[in-house]
Amino acid sequence: MNFHLTPATEGLRSRLFHIIFESDTPGAKAFDIALIVAILVSVAVILLGSIEIYAERYGDIFFYTEWVLTLLFSIELLVRIYCLERPLLYLKSFYGIVDLIAILPTWLVLLVPGAHALVIVRLLRVLRIFRIFRLMAFVGEANLLIDALKRSLHQILLFFFSILMVVTLFAALMYTIESPEAGFTSIPMSMYWAIVSMTTVGYGDIVPATPLGKAITMVLMLLGYSIIAVPTGIFSAQVIRSIREDRHSEETCPGCGHEQHDKRARYCMRCGTWLDEDSEDPRKKDEEKQDED
Amino acid sequence: MNFHLTPATEGLRSRLFHIIFESDTPGAKAFDIALIVAILVSVAVILLGSIEIYAERYGDIFFYTEWVLTLLFSIELLVRIYCLERPLLYLKSFYGIVDLIAILPTWLVLLVPGAHALVIVRLLRVLRIFRIFRLMAFVGEANLLIDALKRSLHQILLFFFSILMVVTLFAALMYTIESPEAGFTSIPMSMYWAIVSMTTVGYGDIVPATPLGKAITMVLMLLGYSIIAVPTGIFSAQVIRSIREDRHSEETCPGCGHEQHDKRARYCMRCGTWLDEDSEDPRKKDEEKQDED
Amino acid sequence: MNFHLTPATEGLRSRLFHIIFESDTPGAKAFDIALIVAILVSVAVILLGSIEIYAERYGDIFFYTEWVLTLLFSIELLVRIYCLERPLLYLKSFYGIVDLIAILPTWLVLLVPGAHALVIVRLLRVLRIFRIFRLMAFVGEANLLIDALKRSLHQILLFFFSILMVVTLFAALMYTIESPEAGFTSIPMSMYWAIVSMTTVGYGDIVPATPLGKAITMVLMLLGYSIIAVPTGIFSAQVIRSIREDRHSEETCPGCGHEQHDKRARYCMRCGTWLDEDSEDPRKKDEEKQDED
Amino acid sequence: MNFHLTPATEGLRSRLFHIIFESDTPGAKAFDIALIVAILVSVAVILLGSIEIYAERYGDIFFYTEWVLTLLFSIELLVRIYCLERPLLYLKSFYGIVDLIAILPTWLVLLVPGAHALVIVRLLRVLRIFRIFRLMAFVGEANLLIDALKRSLHQILLFFFSILMVVTLFAALMYTIESPEAGFTSIPMSMYWAIVSMTTVGYGDIVPATPLGKAITMVLMLLGYSIIAVPTGIFSAQVIRSIREDRHSEETCPGCGHEQHDKRARYCMRCGTWLDEDSEDPRKKDEEKQDED
């Protein structure tokens, strides 16, 4: 099933895999840091390029920096694909898609003339920083948080749903009480006001004008102020549970690059590759035995 | 006590009951999804109908959609009533009232000419989404949250009461310190300002003007910022307790449609109907025995 | 040491004590409800009296209502003093002072002509509701919260102190960066802005104008947004501990009216009176024995 | 290695050490209170001096107060250095740097003419209050909080990083949707708006104008409102853990003034000095033994 490569090529791939996907050797760490710097620079270029004064003055520098970085990111992606045994699985994973999104917009500008509007897509390369972060020291912690979020997702969705219902009811109420002059021109506009008030943001662009409207606003604000406790309570309980039951491994699969394995896992949960590089896959032994028979 | 129906009718009722009240068969799931879509469409019609441009342009579509949906909801309610053994108990329950409220306003518009102001009541059909939600995957979670809320209710009421007292005292203080020009025209108006400040909403429509007023505002804001911890602390503690002691069942009573039973319950806590459909009610055996004697 | 009263008077005092200080008999409950209503009415009169339109229209009604209520509260206080064995200790306690504060301002208006500014002090009678509340169903819960607050007080003070230091440093920073035109006219004014921003209130009356000021504001807001977790974390931990260790009694001392006793307490922790009314104070037996000897 | 002093001088140093670094004798407590008052006065002078009216009226008083206090703080620092056995280690520690920063700005004004801009650095003396606080009753509590913060630091950094990424994406989105007239002039400016909205501050200086922008804002506000739970959840879990595992000592090292020792520590973790003043350092015994041999 695997490519049968010459030992030398196999060695190069294995070394590249270690540098790019792991972070336990000096080379791998240097690569991680270089990648962080490149990502931060590319984001800074996008941010500063949106400020008119800087765009006029340093437009050329921004343009060339972006092209150099896009080239580097493209090469990096090719190397990533090269050193994985199942590259298609990687490209379909979250980080593979992020990698593609991070370079596609700039290439599109070259090919399609009017693609300058893809600024937002270009911004998606910010997501790449997550990869680095995960490779560094935070693996356990991030997994803990993701675990707790997964566990509380159902309850937090239910909570959001309830909030939307409360918001809709209060919005309809205020729409009939307050006049359009105060800003309550429609129920959706009232919903905007209700969310601004309930989340305690309070821009002040729409504000109740009548005494009754003010009284209802007080109730809404106190409600929002106190039910902020609900997601906190749910999430706290789940974090406490996650800390108690944590057993994530920092292993990266040499097959598809998948990283969130259980500590007791011996095969990749996504592609079935043998994870323990220090010993031999017992399946191979069995196959060899069968070949001998 | 029960209606004595022919087996065929009894079978139809039982099948309808399963489709409408449960969600474990394909038919039941299809019904749930259709109901969700109908409810969301009816809410969207109300929201968009309040925007003047859309109301002018699509007024007719909105009008006919609402009538079709109201007819569907009315039929659904009749079927619900038909397949329950104690329909009156259902109509008096929370969901029964919600079902009635969801269709009454549109019918009223037909009968009473000037009933267009009932927009808000029409909005109450949003509450119906809760039914669907509960039927789906979230039953356990919702019950957990409701449990934790019930347990922390006394303490959270006490907390609200204390906040209202603090708000009243600060409002009276600011009313004497600040001038009416700054917006502090009466104690109730100052209370509105105090709640806006204490819940960290901060519209900015009323703002202290004097140095002393600003100093008091700082104290109030820091107070509000830190006692936001109180409901969170109470609720967190109760959620942790609820998770530990959870024992809700997903059974629906075939008698009255009641759903929040204890896992160990054998009879409906509301109407006494035998809950376990796979075995026979021991009471019946006793009755038969008595009949034989 | 105790007054030696005739049995009849003693019985009247004991009955009055039960009606006023406890809430386990129909008479006592009626008294509590009457007191709640009276307090709410007196607060409503003060609030509505501050709105100019109502003050002009219903000024007389407000005036007479307040006098009637003040008379009633005065009589109530006299009865309270009458049925306690150590009335001075009661007058020095928190609730005794609150009772005095609730009636003094109105009497002062009669004696001192220009005492109308005492509106705020008059508002303090709101605090009296706490007494009722505590007598009702919430005793245990309130004690739990008070316990948790006492335990987390040191840490929350430390937290506030740290916040004030952060606020002072940011205020000084913004005072040098931003111009007085933007509202940063002095360091104390900048502190007002910093607290408005850090507590996430955000009135918008003072807002940074320079890019550097905006950058610092972002840091301050993110700081405030995330350290809101600190009091919550402290308080949650303490509430959980308090729930575990709860052992408050609902006993009221017949000597001084003190109420927060330990469940195992046999004598009042404040005046030493024997708490268990169903049995006899062993000290008395000892005294009698000594008398006999 | 230690200075060999005459017994009398040694006694003076030891007594000064107790007064300045500990707080368990009347003299030490008096010193602490005097220091608190001096620090608060010096901070008050800086704050009031920034208000123009006060600066004009009381400028001279402020000037002389500051000089007197700076002299006192300088003497205090010299005495601190005198009574420690390893003063350089102290000067390199957090509190040593704070002590230096607290007096340097005023001296600089004397030496360098145009150094009046160092107002902010002068403010750093606020940090000195921490020393006092720690000496008082709060040692254990502060250590608990610092412990919990250290433990949750990685996770909270990860959380901040995620927030910055969300903020950047939303900012880029709003920059393309909203016009510069509404205030969204560049992506960094949109980021300022996104942080103001997500942290629920809501100044209202930049506000979405288009319906689509308002819809995105609602999502961002609800997101910010609910992920406020994440740091709270992390921190709560860690505070609970810290309370369980607390074992900090209140000992101060007579060698370098370090204070956060483990309860079981016998030697200073920073300079190796013997901590237990009531018994003799076993190392000395060994040395004496070796000398005898």
PDB file of all heavy atoms in Angstrom, chain C residues 105-121:
ATOM      1  N   PRO C 105     -35.214  60.311  59.493  1.00  0.00           N
ATOM      2  CA  PRO C 105     -35.280  61.465  58.569  1.00  0.00           C
ATOM      3  C   PRO C 105     -36.633  62.173  58.571  1.00  0.00           C
ATOM      4  O   PRO C 105     -36.690  63.408  58.605  1.00  0.00           O
ATOM      5  CB  PRO C 105     -35.000  60.838  57.197  1.00  0.00           C
ATOM      6  CG  PRO C 105     -34.296  59.559  57.480  1.00  0.00           C
ATOM      7  CD  PRO C 105     -34.822  59.091  58.795  1.00  0.00           C
ATOM      8  N   THR C 106     -37.735  61.396  58.549  1.00  0.00           N
ATOM      9  CA  THR C 106     -39.049  62.041  58.515  1.00  0.00           C
ATOM     10  C   THR C 106     -39.290  62.849  59.789  1.00  0.00           C
ATOM     11  O   THR C 106     -39.831  63.955  59.742  1.00  0.00           O
ATOM     12  CB  THR C 106     -40.150  60.983  58.326  1.00  0.00           C
ATOM     13  OG1 THR C 106     -39.704  60.008  57.411  1.00  0.00           O
ATOM     14  CG2 THR C 106     -41.420  61.617  57.800  1.00  0.00           C
ATOM     15  N   TRP C 107     -38.893  62.295  60.945  1.00  0.00           N
ATOM     16  CA  TRP C 107     -39.049  63.053  62.193  1.00  0.00           C
ATOM     17  C   TRP C 107     -38.181  64.310  62.178  1.00  0.00           C
ATOM     18  O   TRP C 107     -38.585  65.357  62.670  1.00  0.00           O
ATOM     19  CB  TRP C 107     -38.667  62.179  63.408  1.00  0.00           C
ATOM     20  CG  TRP C 107     -39.662  61.092  63.697  1.00  0.00           C
ATOM     21  CD1 TRP C 107     -39.429  59.754  63.633  1.00  0.00           C
ATOM     22  CD2 TRP C 107     -41.025  61.246  64.090  1.00  0.00           C
ATOM     23  NE1 TRP C 107     -40.554  59.054  63.952  1.00  0.00           N
ATOM     24  CE2 TRP C 107     -41.563  59.948  64.234  1.00  0.00           C
ATOM     25  CE3 TRP C 107     -41.854  62.358  64.311  1.00  0.00           C
ATOM     26  CZ2 TRP C 107     -42.877  59.721  64.593  1.00  0.00           C
ATOM     27  CZ3 TRP C 107     -43.164  62.131  64.684  1.00  0.00           C
ATOM     28  CH2 TRP C 107     -43.668  60.828  64.815  1.00  0.00           C
ATOM     29  N   LEU C 108     -36.991  64.195  61.596  1.00  0.00           N
ATOM     30  CA  LEU C 108     -36.081  65.351  61.538  1.00  0.00           C
ATOM     31  C   LEU C 108     -36.692  66.486  60.729  1.00  0.00           C
ATOM     32  O   LEU C 108     -36.553  67.660  61.085  1.00  0.00           O
ATOM     33  CB  LEU C 108     -34.751  64.935  60.905  1.00  0.00           C
ATOM     34  CG  LEU C 108     -33.741  64.318  61.867  1.00  0.00           C
ATOM     35  CD1 LEU C 108     -32.506  63.866  61.115  1.00  0.00           C
ATOM     36  CD2 LEU C 108     -33.361  65.333  62.951  1.00  0.00           C
ATOM     37  N   VAL C 109     -37.382  66.123  59.610  1.00  0.00           N
ATOM     38  CA  VAL C 109     -38.008  67.151  58.776  1.00  0.00           C
ATOM     39  C   VAL C 109     -38.969  67.991  59.620  1.00  0.00           C
ATOM     40  O   VAL C 109     -39.081  69.202  59.449  1.00  0.00           O
ATOM     41  CB  VAL C 109     -38.760  66.513  57.586  1.00  0.00           C
ATOM     42  CG1 VAL C 109     -39.506  67.568  56.787  1.00  0.00           C
ATOM     43  CG2 VAL C 109     -37.772  65.781  56.687  1.00  0.00           C
ATOM     44  N   LEU C 110     -39.672  67.344  60.555  1.00  0.00           N
ATOM     45  CA  LEU C 110     -40.615  68.039  61.427  1.00  0.00           C
ATOM     46  C   LEU C 110     -39.885  69.014  62.348  1.00  0.00           C
ATOM     47  O   LEU C 110     -40.304  70.162  62.538  1.00  0.00           O
ATOM     48  CB  LEU C 110     -41.380  67.003  62.270  1.00  0.00           C
ATOM     49  CG  LEU C 110     -42.672  67.486  62.910  1.00  0.00           C
ATOM     50  CD1 LEU C 110     -43.761  67.617  61.867  1.00  0.00           C
ATOM     51  CD2 LEU C 110     -43.101  66.539  64.018  1.00  0.00           C
ATOM     52  N   LEU C 111     -38.757  68.547  62.898  1.00  0.00           N
ATOM     53  CA  LEU C 111     -38.049  69.343  63.903  1.00  0.00           C
ATOM     54  C   LEU C 111     -37.128  70.366  63.249  1.00  0.00           C
ATOM     55  O   LEU C 111     -37.157  71.543  63.566  1.00  0.00           O
ATOM     56  CB  LEU C 111     -37.246  68.406  64.826  1.00  0.00           C
ATOM     57  CG  LEU C 111     -38.103  67.299  65.483  1.00  0.00           C
ATOM     58  CD1 LEU C 111     -37.235  66.249  66.137  1.00  0.00           C
ATOM     59  CD2 LEU C 111     -39.071  67.935  66.485  1.00  0.00           C
ATOM     60  N   VAL C 112     -36.276  69.893  62.293  1.00  0.00           N
ATOM     61  CA  VAL C 112     -35.349  70.796  61.604  1.00  0.00           C
ATOM     62  C   VAL C 112     -35.983  71.209  60.279  1.00  0.00           C
ATOM     63  O   VAL C 112     -36.388  70.354  59.498  1.00  0.00           O
ATOM     64  CB  VAL C 112     -34.008  70.068  61.345  1.00  0.00           C
ATOM     65  CG1 VAL C 112     -32.935  71.074  60.931  1.00  0.00           C
ATOM     66  CG2 VAL C 112     -33.572  69.275  62.567  1.00  0.00           C
ATOM     67  N   PRO C 113     -36.106  72.512  59.979  1.00  0.00           N
ATOM     68  CA  PRO C 113     -36.803  72.947  58.778  1.00  0.00           C
ATOM     69  C   PRO C 113     -36.110  72.506  57.472  1.00  0.00           C
ATOM     70  O   PRO C 113     -36.719  71.939  56.598  1.00  0.00           O
ATOM     71  CB  PRO C 113     -36.798  74.474  58.902  1.00  0.00           C
ATOM     72  CG  PRO C 113     -36.543  74.743  60.359  1.00  0.00           C
ATOM     73  CD  PRO C 113     -35.674  73.627  60.839  1.00  0.00           C
ATOM     74  N   GLY C 114     -34.811  72.707  57.335  1.00  0.00           N
ATOM     75  CA  GLY C 114     -34.170  72.501  56.033  1.00  0.00           C
ATOM     76  C   GLY C 114     -33.649  71.091  55.801  1.00  0.00           C
ATOM     77  O   GLY C 114     -32.656  70.895  55.116  1.00  0.00           O
ATOM     78  N   ALA C 115     -34.302  70.103  56.369  1.00  0.00           N
ATOM     79  CA  ALA C 115     -33.755  68.750  56.326  1.00  0.00           C
ATOM     80  C   ALA C 115     -34.275  67.952  55.134  1.00  0.00           C
ATOM     81  O   ALA C 115     -34.203  66.738  55.125  1.00  0.00           O
ATOM     82  CB  ALA C 115     -34.069  68.027  57.628  1.00  0.00           C
ATOM     83  N   HIS C 116     -34.791  68.634  54.131  1.00  0.00           N
ATOM     84  CA  HIS C 116     -35.369  67.924  52.995  1.00  0.00           C
ATOM     85  C   HIS C 116     -34.326  67.160  52.175  1.00  0.00           C
ATOM     86  O   HIS C 116     -34.653  66.287  51.377  1.00  0.00           O
ATOM     87  CB  HIS C 116     -36.118  68.899  52.079  1.00  0.00           C
ATOM     88  CG  HIS C 116     -37.568  68.986  52.420  1.00  0.00           C
ATOM     89  ND1 HIS C 116     -38.415  67.931  52.222  1.00  0.00           N
ATOM     90  CD2 HIS C 116     -38.294  69.977  52.974  1.00  0.00           C
ATOM     91  CE1 HIS C 116     -39.627  68.283  52.631  1.00  0.00           C
ATOM     92  NE2 HIS C 116     -39.583  69.508  53.094  1.00  0.00           N
ATOM     93  N   ALA C 117     -33.048  67.516  52.395  1.00  0.00           N
ATOM     94  CA  ALA C 117     -31.997  66.884  51.598  1.00  0.00           C
ATOM     95  C   ALA C 117     -31.725  65.454  52.034  1.00  0.00           C
ATOM     96  O   ALA C 117     -30.895  64.767  51.451  1.00  0.00           O
ATOM     97  CB  ALA C 117     -30.713  67.709  51.696  1.00  0.00           C
ATOM     98  N   LEU C 118     -32.427  65.005  53.088  1.00  0.00           N
ATOM     99  CA  LEU C 118     -32.142  63.675  53.632  1.00  0.00           C
ATOM    100  C   LEU C 118     -32.812  62.556  52.844  1.00  0.00           C
ATOM    101  O   LEU C 118     -33.001  61.449  53.349  1.00  0.00           O
ATOM    102  CB  LEU C 118     -32.564  63.607  55.096  1.00  0.00           C
ATOM    103  CG  LEU C 118     -31.653  64.418  56.042  1.00  0.00           C
ATOM    104  CD1 LEU C 118     -32.310  64.614  57.382  1.00  0.00           C
ATOM    105  CD2 LEU C 118     -30.327  63.686  56.208  1.00  0.00           C
ATOM    106  N   VAL C 119     -33.182  62.837  51.614  1.00  0.00           N
ATOM    107  CA  VAL C 119     -33.850  61.837  50.768  1.00  0.00           C
ATOM    108  C   VAL C 119     -33.080  60.525  50.767  1.00  0.00           C
ATOM    109  O   VAL C 119     -33.648  59.442  50.886  1.00  0.00           O
ATOM    110  CB  VAL C 119     -33.973  62.355  49.319  1.00  0.00           C
ATOM    111  CG1 VAL C 119     -34.721  61.350  48.457  1.00  0.00           C
ATOM    112  CG2 VAL C 119     -34.660  63.690  49.294  1.00  0.00           C
ATOM    113  N   ILE C 120     -31.769  60.636  50.625  1.00  0.00           N
ATOM    114  CA  ILE C 120     -30.939  59.441  50.479  1.00  0.00           C
ATOM    115  C   ILE C 120     -31.023  58.580  51.731  1.00  0.00           C
ATOM    116  O   ILE C 120     -31.206  57.374  51.662  1.00  0.00           O
ATOM    117  CB  ILE C 120     -29.468  59.834  50.248  1.00  0.00           C
ATOM    118  CG1 ILE C 120     -29.408  60.997  49.284  1.00  0.00           C
ATOM    119  CG2 ILE C 120     -28.689  58.642  49.743  1.00  0.00           C
ATOM    120  CD1 ILE C 120     -28.422  62.036  49.712  1.00  0.00           C
ATOM    121  N   VAL C 121     -30.889  59.244  52.879  1.00  0.00           N
ATOM    122  CA  VAL C 121     -30.938  58.496  54.132  1.00  0.00           C
ATOM    123  C   VAL C 121     -32.290  57.802  54.231  1.00  0.00           C
ATOM    124  O   VAL C 121     -32.380  56.645  54.660  1.00  0.00           O
ATOM    125  CB  VAL C 121     -30.706  59.441  55.329  1.00  0.00           C
ATOM    126  CG1 VAL C 121     -30.554  58.640  56.604  1.00  0.00           C
ATOM    127  CG2 VAL C 121     -29.465  60.288  55.090  1.00  0.00           C
TER     128      VAL C 121
END
